[in-house]
Amino acid sequence: CCQIRQLDVLLLDCIFVIFTVIMEMIYLLDSRWEEERYTDGVKWKFLEHKGPVFAPAYEPIPSHVKFYYDGKHMKLSPEAEEVATFFAKMLDHEYTTKDIFRKNFFKDWRKEMTSEERAKITDLKKCDFTEMSEYFKAQSEARKAMSKEEKQKIKEENERILQQYGFCIMDNHKERIANFRIEPPGLFRGRGDHPKMGMLKRRIRPQDIIINCSKDSKVPEPPPGTKWKEVRHDNKVTWLVSWTENIQGSIKYIMLNPSSRIKGEKDWQKYETARRLKKCVDRIRAQYREDWKSKEMRIRQRAVALYFIDKLALRAGNEKEEGETADTVGCCSLRVEHIKLYPENEGQEYVVEFDFLGKDSIRYYNRVPVEKRVFKNLQLFMENKEPDDDLFDRLNTSILNKHLQELMDGLTAKVFRTYNASITLQQQLKELTTAEENIPAKILSYNRANRAVAILCNHQRAPPKTFEKSMQNLQSKIDAKRDQLADAKRELKSAKADAKVRKDEKSKKAVESKKKAVQRIEEQLMKLEVQATDREENKQIALGTSKLNYLDPRISVAWCKKWGIPVEKIYNKTQREKFAWAIDMAEEDYEF
DNA sequence: ACCGACACTTAGTACACTTTTT
DNA sequence: AAAAAGTGTACTAAGTGTCGGT
């Protein structure tokens, strides 16, 4: 009987183990990044969602809030009033003082006016929006001063909308949608010197919207009494909703969150391409160095541009339509005026000075010594040209990328940025991390490695408005901690002296506890100092962009595992969700 | 070769929310 | 409890790169 029972237990155990193994296999199969990949451009088989959330309808302002033209009160039509409120809300911003902004705004505003209004309102300078502006300021104050319950209510409502519209089903998985809210109307704010700043960004209606979902899904309902522009079933694209925006005429999309399978896989693929570049980058470098000597101008230009893209992590630099956007450039679109050549500069030979506005009108300024051949080539390219002529007149991104494609499957200019960013992180981590350091110091090292990449990629930010002040605060904290440490040391000394005389248990214990206190304070001081260094070095540098878009997350995960750093210290919750695939797959010995 | 349409990634900022300090 | 500081997220502009037509 007993034996049988034992057998029974064994059997049960066995079944349990088998069950667990099967479940694990199912889990592995189900694990999104292990799933079978589609071929020939198919992105999904099933897609169902609830459509977009539209911007709330315009709420007219109360009649006691007045608008004045030329000092006289004027009641605006709802259409004109709405556009006026957009301007009023930006009154404190320096945009509204800019000529182009005002001109564009006024032109578009007049289009929304009734003919009577248009006849009357002919000069923006005579418009007085201050009451409107005050009203909105008061509104936002009131919102801040709301009671806990009211705030809670709003939060719950937001949560409800998120639950209803913020998710979709794509191929057996419920996925988070990135931007399910339609962009509200307002005044366009470009970055930098944008020729279209101040133009009216139209309100998007259901009849502007294209819905994309699978045929066998429940098609989202348009709001009562409205129709979608189109419902299509295109599984070769990843977007759920699209519309055409009226400023540039470009298409906007609603797509999935970075945590989704479809984005995660693409991200992984991107880093795998960069790793393939690692294997052949020596060959490619040797090749472009050869090409500097080519007898063909176009090949020399291609080779010098590629050298910049590789060495300086410049962007490709597509052509842009003149007058449609801010005047910014990348590598292939550099103009003569953007570089200066110094045969000798501060003891270095063949120095090139770059000074241009890149993406988002962020200034790129750099002085770099280059090889003699590059320098001579640049002199050649600049011969007989005006400052606003193209530096690489025989080159564009399409020519460059076609060439790259021949050197390696899937290679384009942007892969170099990914490759150089990731390899730099890996190298810097190796160089900067030392075994003896404690965790905060190791994290400082990580941030420094991250920073090296951000500098390479020129990821800048406006120094935070409160930077100086918060730096001062931190410094005074450090000073206070130093005093505290001195005190603690003094106390320890006297406790030691005391213990020497008394030689009893109690005084010995006192020494021990004082020792501990000193140690603790030392640690705290160290942490503060590390923090101060980190912050100072970070003043104008944004780490987030490279962390999110250029650094193979497996490098960071491996580093965490190697040094026993919890991954939460490096990635916050959102980042961990985005990089779930990497956290899942990277081991301590992962090499990019 | 060139162009426009399209799809998708990369980017900085404003502000909401959370945590720490006073 | 209020204020200040710090962090995270939403937002949406601005890039890159491909494709199909001419």
Side-chain angles (χ1 to χ4, degrees), chain A residues 183 191 201 252 317-318 320 328 360 401 412 414 469 473 535 574:
Chain A
E183 296 171 17
R191 313 237 168 103
K201 214 170 95 162
K252 299 254 181 168
N318 283 310
K320 324 203 297 176
T328 62
D360 293 314
N401 280 334
T412 62
K414 83 196 264 285
K469 207 170 144 240
N473 286 347
R535 196 180 299 176
T574 321

Short mmCIF file of all heavy atoms in Angstrom, two decimals, chain A residues 183 191 201 252 317-318 320 328 360 401 412 414 469 473 535 574, chain C residues 1 4-18:
data_model
loop_
_atom_site.label_atom_id
_atom_site.label_comp_id
_atom_site.label_asym_id
_atom_site.label_seq_id
_atom_site.Cartn_x
_atom_site.Cartn_y
_atom_site.Cartn_z
N GLU A 183 -4.46 64.58 -32.97
CA GLU A 183 -3.86 65.86 -32.61
C GLU A 183 -4.91 66.96 -32.65
O GLU A 183 -5.61 67.10 -33.64
CB GLU A 183 -2.71 66.18 -33.57
CG GLU A 183 -1.58 65.17 -33.46
CD GLU A 183 -0.53 65.35 -34.55
OE1 GLU A 183 -0.50 66.42 -35.17
OE2 GLU A 183 0.26 64.41 -34.76
N ARG A 191 10.08 73.94 -35.53
CA ARG A 191 11.31 74.12 -34.75
C ARG A 191 12.25 74.99 -35.55
O ARG A 191 12.32 74.87 -36.77
CB ARG A 191 11.96 72.77 -34.49
CG ARG A 191 10.97 71.73 -34.00
CD ARG A 191 11.34 71.13 -32.68
NE ARG A 191 10.23 70.36 -32.14
CZ ARG A 191 10.17 69.03 -32.18
NH1 ARG A 191 11.15 68.34 -32.70
NH2 ARG A 191 9.13 68.41 -31.68
N LYS A 201 -3.41 74.83 -37.70
CA LYS A 201 -3.49 73.39 -37.84
C LYS A 201 -4.96 73.00 -37.71
O LYS A 201 -5.55 73.17 -36.65
CB LYS A 201 -2.67 72.74 -36.72
CG LYS A 201 -2.00 71.49 -37.13
CD LYS A 201 -1.04 71.04 -36.08
CE LYS A 201 -1.71 70.04 -35.16
NZ LYS A 201 -0.72 69.26 -34.41
N LYS A 252 -0.15 61.48 -41.24
CA LYS A 252 0.11 61.16 -39.84
C LYS A 252 -0.51 59.80 -39.54
O LYS A 252 -1.52 59.44 -40.15
CB LYS A 252 -0.53 62.21 -38.94
CG LYS A 252 0.01 63.61 -39.18
CD LYS A 252 0.91 64.00 -38.05
CE LYS A 252 1.45 65.39 -38.24
NZ LYS A 252 2.09 65.89 -37.04
N GLY A 317 21.29 63.25 -44.59
CA GLY A 317 21.08 64.56 -45.20
C GLY A 317 20.33 64.51 -46.52
O GLY A 317 20.88 64.82 -47.57
N ASN A 318 19.06 64.12 -46.47
CA ASN A 318 18.21 64.15 -47.66
C ASN A 318 17.99 65.59 -48.11
O ASN A 318 18.07 66.51 -47.31
CB ASN A 318 16.84 63.54 -47.34
CG ASN A 318 16.91 62.03 -47.28
OD1 ASN A 318 17.43 61.40 -48.19
ND2 ASN A 318 16.37 61.46 -46.22
N LYS A 320 15.72 68.74 -49.13
CA LYS A 320 14.42 69.19 -48.67
C LYS A 320 13.93 70.29 -49.62
O LYS A 320 14.74 70.98 -50.24
CB LYS A 320 14.48 69.77 -47.26
CG LYS A 320 15.46 69.09 -46.33
CD LYS A 320 15.14 69.27 -44.89
CE LYS A 320 15.20 70.69 -44.42
NZ LYS A 320 14.78 70.82 -43.02
N THR A 328 17.82 73.29 -42.62
CA THR A 328 18.73 72.42 -41.87
C THR A 328 19.37 71.45 -42.85
O THR A 328 18.82 71.20 -43.91
CB THR A 328 17.97 71.60 -40.81
OG1 THR A 328 17.03 70.76 -41.46
CG2 THR A 328 17.25 72.50 -39.82
N ASP A 360 15.93 69.27 -36.27
CA ASP A 360 15.33 70.07 -35.21
C ASP A 360 16.06 71.40 -34.99
O ASP A 360 15.96 72.00 -33.93
CB ASP A 360 15.27 69.32 -33.87
CG ASP A 360 14.33 68.14 -33.94
OD1 ASP A 360 13.22 68.30 -34.45
OD2 ASP A 360 14.72 67.04 -33.49
N ASN A 401 23.28 55.63 -50.58
CA ASN A 401 22.67 54.40 -50.07
C ASN A 401 22.72 53.27 -51.08
O ASN A 401 22.84 52.10 -50.70
CB ASN A 401 21.23 54.68 -49.62
CG ASN A 401 21.18 55.33 -48.24
OD1 ASN A 401 22.10 55.15 -47.43
ND2 ASN A 401 20.14 56.09 -47.98
N THR A 412 22.56 51.11 -44.90
CA THR A 412 22.22 52.48 -45.29
C THR A 412 23.02 53.41 -44.39
O THR A 412 23.66 52.96 -43.44
CB THR A 412 20.71 52.78 -45.10
OG1 THR A 412 20.41 52.65 -43.70
CG2 THR A 412 19.83 51.85 -45.90
N LYS A 414 22.15 55.47 -42.08
CA LYS A 414 21.80 55.55 -40.66
C LYS A 414 22.32 54.38 -39.84
O LYS A 414 22.45 54.47 -38.62
CB LYS A 414 20.28 55.74 -40.48
CG LYS A 414 19.46 54.49 -40.53
CD LYS A 414 17.99 54.84 -40.74
CE LYS A 414 17.21 54.88 -39.44
NZ LYS A 414 16.93 53.53 -38.92
N LYS A 469 20.31 76.92 -10.06
CA LYS A 469 19.80 76.90 -8.69
C LYS A 469 19.92 75.49 -8.09
O LYS A 469 20.37 75.33 -6.96
CB LYS A 469 18.34 77.36 -8.67
CG LYS A 469 17.95 77.99 -7.37
CD LYS A 469 16.59 78.65 -7.45
CE LYS A 469 15.84 78.48 -6.16
NZ LYS A 469 14.58 77.77 -6.34
N ASN A 473 22.00 74.28 -4.79
CA ASN A 473 21.39 73.53 -3.69
C ASN A 473 22.17 72.27 -3.40
O ASN A 473 22.44 71.94 -2.23
CB ASN A 473 19.95 73.15 -4.05
CG ASN A 473 19.03 74.34 -3.98
OD1 ASN A 473 19.39 75.38 -3.43
ND2 ASN A 473 17.85 74.20 -4.53
N ARG A 535 25.45 65.50 -12.86
CA ARG A 535 24.53 66.54 -13.29
C ARG A 535 25.25 67.66 -14.05
O ARG A 535 24.78 68.13 -15.07
CB ARG A 535 23.80 67.12 -12.08
CG ARG A 535 22.58 67.91 -12.51
CD ARG A 535 21.84 68.49 -11.34
NE ARG A 535 21.35 67.47 -10.43
CZ ARG A 535 20.73 67.78 -9.28
NH1 ARG A 535 20.58 69.04 -8.93
NH2 ARG A 535 20.27 66.82 -8.50
N THR A 574 8.88 52.02 -18.41
CA THR A 574 8.57 52.11 -19.84
C THR A 574 9.71 51.55 -20.68
O THR A 574 9.49 50.85 -21.66
CB THR A 574 8.39 53.59 -20.23
OG1 THR A 574 7.69 54.24 -19.19
CG2 THR A 574 7.64 53.72 -21.50
P DA C 1 -2.33 67.39 5.81
OP1 DA C 1 -3.10 67.32 7.04
OP2 DA C 1 -2.86 66.85 4.56
"O5'" DA C 1 -1.76 68.81 5.47
"C5'" DA C 1 -2.09 70.03 6.10
"C4'" DA C 1 -1.27 71.06 5.38
"O4'" DA C 1 0.14 70.74 5.51
"C3'" DA C 1 -1.55 71.13 3.87
"O3'" DA C 1 -1.61 72.51 3.52
"C2'" DA C 1 -0.37 70.40 3.23
"C1'" DA C 1 0.75 70.66 4.22
N9 DA C 1 1.76 69.60 4.31
C8 DA C 1 1.56 68.24 4.32
N7 DA C 1 2.67 67.54 4.43
C5 DA C 1 3.66 68.51 4.51
C6 DA C 1 5.07 68.42 4.64
N6 DA C 1 5.74 67.28 4.74
N1 DA C 1 5.76 69.58 4.69
C2 DA C 1 5.08 70.74 4.62
N3 DA C 1 3.77 70.95 4.49
C4 DA C 1 3.12 69.78 4.44
P DA C 4 8.63 77.46 -3.66
OP1 DA C 4 9.25 78.73 -3.25
OP2 DA C 4 7.67 77.41 -4.79
"O5'" DA C 4 9.79 76.42 -3.96
"C5'" DA C 4 10.44 75.77 -2.86
"C4'" DA C 4 11.12 74.53 -3.37
"O4'" DA C 4 10.18 73.43 -3.41
"C3'" DA C 4 11.69 74.67 -4.78
"O3'" DA C 4 13.07 74.32 -4.70
"C2'" DA C 4 10.86 73.69 -5.63
"C1'" DA C 4 10.39 72.68 -4.59
N9 DA C 4 9.12 72.02 -4.87
C8 DA C 4 7.93 72.57 -5.26
N7 DA C 4 6.96 71.70 -5.42
C5 DA C 4 7.56 70.48 -5.10
C6 DA C 4 7.06 69.17 -5.06
N6 DA C 4 5.80 68.84 -5.36
N1 DA C 4 7.91 68.19 -4.72
C2 DA C 4 9.17 68.51 -4.42
N3 DA C 4 9.76 69.70 -4.41
C4 DA C 4 8.88 70.66 -4.77
P DA C 5 14.01 74.34 -5.98
OP1 DA C 5 15.34 74.81 -5.54
OP2 DA C 5 13.31 74.99 -7.11
"O5'" DA C 5 14.10 72.78 -6.26
"C5'" DA C 5 14.36 71.89 -5.17
"C4'" DA C 5 14.33 70.49 -5.70
"O4'" DA C 5 12.95 70.08 -5.90
"C3'" DA C 5 15.05 70.31 -7.03
"O3'" DA C 5 15.93 69.21 -6.86
"C2'" DA C 5 13.91 70.05 -8.03
"C1'" DA C 5 12.83 69.43 -7.15
N9 DA C 5 11.45 69.64 -7.57
C8 DA C 5 10.84 70.81 -7.94
N7 DA C 5 9.56 70.68 -8.23
C5 DA C 5 9.32 69.32 -8.02
C6 DA C 5 8.15 68.54 -8.15
N6 DA C 5 6.96 69.02 -8.53
N1 DA C 5 8.24 67.22 -7.87
C2 DA C 5 9.43 66.73 -7.48
N3 DA C 5 10.59 67.37 -7.32
C4 DA C 5 10.47 68.68 -7.62
P DG C 6 16.80 68.65 -8.07
OP1 DG C 6 18.02 68.08 -7.47
OP2 DG C 6 16.88 69.64 -9.16
"O5'" DG C 6 15.87 67.46 -8.54
"C5'" DG C 6 15.46 66.46 -7.59
"C4'" DG C 6 14.70 65.40 -8.32
"O4'" DG C 6 13.37 65.89 -8.63
"C3'" DG C 6 15.33 64.98 -9.65
"O3'" DG C 6 15.42 63.56 -9.61
"C2'" DG C 6 14.37 65.51 -10.72
"C1'" DG C 6 13.04 65.55 -9.97
N9 DG C 6 12.06 66.53 -10.41
C8 DG C 6 12.26 67.88 -10.64
N7 DG C 6 11.16 68.50 -11.00
C5 DG C 6 10.19 67.51 -11.00
C6 DG C 6 8.80 67.57 -11.30
O6 DG C 6 8.14 68.56 -11.64
N1 DG C 6 8.18 66.34 -11.18
C2 DG C 6 8.81 65.18 -10.81
N2 DG C 6 8.06 64.08 -10.75
N3 DG C 6 10.11 65.10 -10.53
C4 DG C 6 10.73 66.29 -10.64
P DT C 7 15.86 62.70 -10.86
OP1 DT C 7 16.52 61.50 -10.33
OP2 DT C 7 16.51 63.57 -11.86
"O5'" DT C 7 14.44 62.26 -11.46
"C5'" DT C 7 13.53 61.55 -10.65
"C4'" DT C 7 12.37 61.10 -11.53
"O4'" DT C 7 11.56 62.25 -11.87
"C3'" DT C 7 12.79 60.45 -12.84
"O3'" DT C 7 12.16 59.19 -12.86
"C2'" DT C 7 12.33 61.42 -13.92
"C1'" DT C 7 11.19 62.16 -13.22
N1 DT C 7 10.90 63.56 -13.64
C2 DT C 7 9.59 63.90 -13.94
O2 DT C 7 8.67 63.11 -13.90
N3 DT C 7 9.41 65.22 -14.28
C4 DT C 7 10.39 66.21 -14.34
O4 DT C 7 10.08 67.35 -14.65
C5 DT C 7 11.73 65.79 -14.01
C7 DT C 7 12.83 66.79 -14.06
C6 DT C 7 11.92 64.50 -13.68
P DG C 8 12.13 58.21 -14.07
OP1 DG C 8 11.97 56.86 -13.52
OP2 DG C 8 13.24 58.54 -14.98
"O5'" DG C 8 10.76 58.64 -14.75
"C5'" DG C 8 9.55 58.50 -14.02
"C4'" DG C 8 8.41 58.72 -14.97
"O4'" DG C 8 8.34 60.12 -15.33
"C3'" DG C 8 8.50 57.93 -16.27
"O3'" DG C 8 7.21 57.36 -16.44
"C2'" DG C 8 8.89 58.98 -17.32
"C1'" DG C 8 8.30 60.27 -16.74
N9 DG C 8 8.99 61.52 -17.02
C8 DG C 8 10.34 61.77 -16.95
N7 DG C 8 10.66 63.00 -17.20
C5 DG C 8 9.44 63.61 -17.45
C6 DG C 8 9.13 64.97 -17.79
O6 DG C 8 9.92 65.90 -17.92
N1 DG C 8 7.77 65.16 -17.96
C2 DG C 8 6.82 64.20 -17.83
N2 DG C 8 5.55 64.58 -18.04
N3 DG C 8 7.08 62.93 -17.51
C4 DG C 8 8.40 62.72 -17.35
P DT C 9 6.79 56.56 -17.70
OP1 DT C 9 5.81 55.55 -17.25
OP2 DT C 9 8.01 56.18 -18.46
"O5'" DT C 9 6.00 57.66 -18.54
"C5'" DT C 9 5.02 58.43 -17.87
"C4'" DT C 9 4.29 59.27 -18.88
"O4'" DT C 9 5.03 60.49 -19.12
"C3'" DT C 9 4.10 58.62 -20.24
"O3'" DT C 9 2.74 58.83 -20.57
"C2'" DT C 9 5.08 59.34 -21.17
"C1'" DT C 9 5.17 60.71 -20.51
N1 DT C 9 6.44 61.46 -20.68
C2 DT C 9 6.38 62.82 -20.89
O2 DT C 9 5.33 63.43 -20.99
N3 DT C 9 7.59 63.44 -21.01
C4 DT C 9 8.85 62.85 -20.91
O4 DT C 9 9.85 63.52 -21.02
C5 DT C 9 8.83 61.43 -20.68
C7 DT C 9 10.14 60.71 -20.57
C6 DT C 9 7.65 60.80 -20.58
P DA C 10 2.08 58.29 -21.87
OP1 DA C 10 0.84 57.60 -21.49
OP2 DA C 10 3.10 57.63 -22.72
"O5'" DA C 10 1.68 59.68 -22.55
"C5'" DA C 10 1.10 60.71 -21.74
"C4'" DA C 10 0.92 61.94 -22.59
"O4'" DA C 10 2.20 62.58 -22.79
"C3'" DA C 10 0.37 61.67 -23.98
"O3'" DA C 10 -0.53 62.74 -24.25
"C2'" DA C 10 1.60 61.67 -24.88
"C1'" DA C 10 2.52 62.66 -24.17
N9 DA C 10 3.95 62.40 -24.28
C8 DA C 10 4.59 61.19 -24.21
N7 DA C 10 5.91 61.28 -24.29
C5 DA C 10 6.14 62.64 -24.41
C6 DA C 10 7.33 63.39 -24.54
N6 DA C 10 8.54 62.86 -24.56
N1 DA C 10 7.21 64.73 -24.65
C2 DA C 10 5.98 65.27 -24.63
N3 DA C 10 4.80 64.67 -24.50
C4 DA C 10 4.95 63.33 -24.41
P DC C 11 -1.32 62.85 -25.60
OP1 DC C 11 -2.55 63.61 -25.32
OP2 DC C 11 -1.37 61.51 -26.22
"O5'" DC C 11 -0.36 63.76 -26.48
"C5'" DC C 11 -0.03 65.06 -26.00
"C4'" DC C 11 0.99 65.66 -26.93
"O4'" DC C 11 2.27 65.03 -26.73
"C3'" DC C 11 0.67 65.48 -28.42
"O3'" DC C 11 0.46 66.76 -28.96
"C2'" DC C 11 1.89 64.79 -29.00
"C1'" DC C 11 2.96 65.08 -27.96
N1 DC C 11 4.10 64.13 -27.89
C2 DC C 11 5.40 64.66 -27.92
O2 DC C 11 5.55 65.87 -27.99
N3 DC C 11 6.45 63.80 -27.86
C4 DC C 11 6.24 62.49 -27.77
N4 DC C 11 7.30 61.70 -27.71
C5 DC C 11 4.92 61.94 -27.74
C6 DC C 11 3.88 62.78 -27.80
P DT C 12 -0.35 66.94 -30.29
OP1 DT C 12 -1.04 68.23 -30.25
OP2 DT C 12 -1.08 65.69 -30.59
"O5'" DT C 12 0.85 67.04 -31.33
"C5'" DT C 12 1.75 68.14 -31.23
"C4'" DT C 12 2.95 67.83 -32.04
"O4'" DT C 12 3.70 66.74 -31.45
"C3'" DT C 12 2.62 67.37 -33.48
"O3'" DT C 12 3.58 67.93 -34.33
"C2'" DT C 12 2.86 65.89 -33.42
"C1'" DT C 12 4.09 65.90 -32.51
N1 DT C 12 4.55 64.59 -32.03
C2 DT C 12 5.89 64.48 -31.71
O2 DT C 12 6.68 65.40 -31.79
N3 DT C 12 6.29 63.23 -31.33
C4 DT C 12 5.48 62.10 -31.21
O4 DT C 12 5.97 61.04 -30.85
C5 DT C 12 4.09 62.30 -31.53
C7 DT C 12 3.16 61.15 -31.42
C6 DT C 12 3.70 63.53 -31.92
P DA C 13 3.16 68.95 -35.47
OP1 DA C 13 2.27 69.97 -34.89
OP2 DA C 13 2.75 68.20 -36.67
"O5'" DA C 13 4.57 69.59 -35.77
"C5'" DA C 13 5.36 70.13 -34.71
"C4'" DA C 13 6.81 69.79 -34.96
"O4'" DA C 13 7.09 68.43 -34.53
"C3'" DA C 13 7.25 69.87 -36.42
"O3'" DA C 13 8.48 70.57 -36.40
"C2'" DA C 13 7.39 68.42 -36.86
"C1'" DA C 13 7.77 67.72 -35.56
N9 DA C 13 7.33 66.33 -35.43
C8 DA C 13 6.05 65.84 -35.57
N7 DA C 13 5.97 64.54 -35.36
C5 DA C 13 7.28 64.16 -35.06
C6 DA C 13 7.86 62.92 -34.74
N6 DA C 13 7.17 61.77 -34.65
N1 DA C 13 9.18 62.89 -34.51
C2 DA C 13 9.87 64.04 -34.58
N3 DA C 13 9.44 65.26 -34.86
C4 DA C 13 8.12 65.25 -35.09
P DA C 14 9.28 70.89 -37.72
OP1 DA C 14 10.08 72.09 -37.45
OP2 DA C 14 8.37 70.84 -38.88
"O5'" DA C 14 10.23 69.63 -37.83
"C5'" DA C 14 11.32 69.49 -36.94
"C4'" DA C 14 12.14 68.33 -37.42
"O4'" DA C 14 11.41 67.09 -37.20
"C3'" DA C 14 12.44 68.36 -38.90
"O3'" DA C 14 13.75 67.85 -39.06
"C2'" DA C 14 11.44 67.41 -39.50
"C1'" DA C 14 11.42 66.35 -38.40
N9 DA C 14 10.25 65.46 -38.40
C8 DA C 14 8.94 65.75 -38.69
N7 DA C 14 8.14 64.71 -38.60
C5 DA C 14 8.98 63.67 -38.22
C6 DA C 14 8.76 62.30 -37.96
N6 DA C 14 7.56 61.72 -38.04
N1 DA C 14 9.81 61.54 -37.61
C2 DA C 14 11.01 62.12 -37.53
N3 DA C 14 11.36 63.40 -37.75
C4 DA C 14 10.28 64.12 -38.09
P DG C 15 14.78 68.48 -40.07
OP1 DG C 15 15.47 69.57 -39.40
OP2 DG C 15 14.07 68.69 -41.33
"O5'" DG C 15 15.81 67.28 -40.23
"C5'" DG C 15 15.55 66.25 -41.16
"C4'" DG C 15 15.69 64.91 -40.50
"O4'" DG C 15 14.43 64.57 -39.90
"C3'" DG C 15 15.97 63.80 -41.49
"O3'" DG C 15 17.36 63.59 -41.57
"C2'" DG C 15 15.29 62.58 -40.87
"C1'" DG C 15 14.17 63.19 -40.05
N9 DG C 15 12.81 63.05 -40.60
C8 DG C 15 12.01 64.07 -41.05
N7 DG C 15 10.81 63.65 -41.38
C5 DG C 15 10.84 62.28 -41.13
C6 DG C 15 9.83 61.29 -41.28
O6 DG C 15 8.67 61.45 -41.66
N1 DG C 15 10.29 60.02 -40.94
C2 DG C 15 11.55 59.74 -40.49
N2 DG C 15 11.81 58.47 -40.21
N3 DG C 15 12.48 60.66 -40.32
C4 DG C 15 12.08 61.90 -40.66
P DT C 16 17.99 62.91 -42.81
OP1 DT C 16 19.45 62.96 -42.61
OP2 DT C 16 17.38 63.50 -44.03
"O5'" DT C 16 17.46 61.41 -42.73
"C5'" DT C 16 17.91 60.54 -41.71
"C4'" DT C 16 17.39 59.15 -41.98
"O4'" DT C 16 15.94 59.18 -41.99
"C3'" DT C 16 17.81 58.59 -43.34
"O3'" DT C 16 18.32 57.29 -43.14
"C2'" DT C 16 16.55 58.60 -44.19
"C1'" DT C 16 15.45 58.52 -43.14
N1 DT C 16 14.19 59.21 -43.53
C2 DT C 16 13.02 58.47 -43.61
O2 DT C 16 12.98 57.28 -43.39
N3 DT C 16 11.92 59.20 -43.97
C4 DT C 16 11.85 60.55 -44.24
O4 DT C 16 10.79 61.08 -44.54
C5 DT C 16 13.10 61.26 -44.13
C7 DT C 16 13.15 62.73 -44.40
C6 DT C 16 14.20 60.57 -43.78
P DG C 17 19.10 56.54 -44.33
OP1 DG C 17 19.97 55.55 -43.68
OP2 DG C 17 19.64 57.53 -45.28
"O5'" DG C 17 17.91 55.77 -45.05
"C5'" DG C 17 17.17 54.81 -44.32
"C4'" DG C 17 16.07 54.31 -45.20
"O4'" DG C 17 15.04 55.32 -45.29
"C3'" DG C 17 16.49 54.00 -46.64
"O3'" DG C 17 15.98 52.72 -46.95
"C2'" DG C 17 15.83 55.09 -47.46
"C1'" DG C 17 14.58 55.38 -46.62
N9 DG C 17 13.96 56.67 -46.85
C8 DG C 17 14.56 57.90 -46.94
N7 DG C 17 13.70 58.86 -47.17
C5 DG C 17 12.47 58.23 -47.22
C6 DG C 17 11.18 58.75 -47.45
O6 DG C 17 10.83 59.92 -47.65
N1 DG C 17 10.21 57.75 -47.43
C2 DG C 17 10.45 56.42 -47.21
N2 DG C 17 9.40 55.61 -47.22
N3 DG C 17 11.66 55.92 -47.01
C4 DG C 17 12.62 56.87 -47.03
P DT C 18 16.36 51.94 -48.27
OP1 DT C 18 17.05 50.74 -47.81
OP2 DT C 18 16.95 52.85 -49.29
"O5'" DT C 18 14.92 51.52 -48.83
"C5'" DT C 18 13.92 51.06 -47.92
"C4'" DT C 18 12.62 51.07 -48.68
"O4'" DT C 18 12.12 52.42 -48.79
"C3'" DT C 18 12.74 50.55 -50.11
"O3'" DT C 18 11.70 49.61 -50.29
"C2'" DT C 18 12.57 51.78 -50.99
"C1'" DT C 18 11.70 52.67 -50.12
N1 DT C 18 11.81 54.14 -50.33
C2 DT C 18 10.64 54.85 -50.50
O2 DT C 18 9.53 54.34 -50.50
N3 DT C 18 10.82 56.21 -50.67
C4 DT C 18 12.02 56.89 -50.69
O4 DT C 18 12.04 58.11 -50.84
C5 DT C 18 13.20 56.08 -50.50
C7 DT C 18 14.54 56.74 -50.51
C6 DT C 18 13.04 54.75 -50.33
#
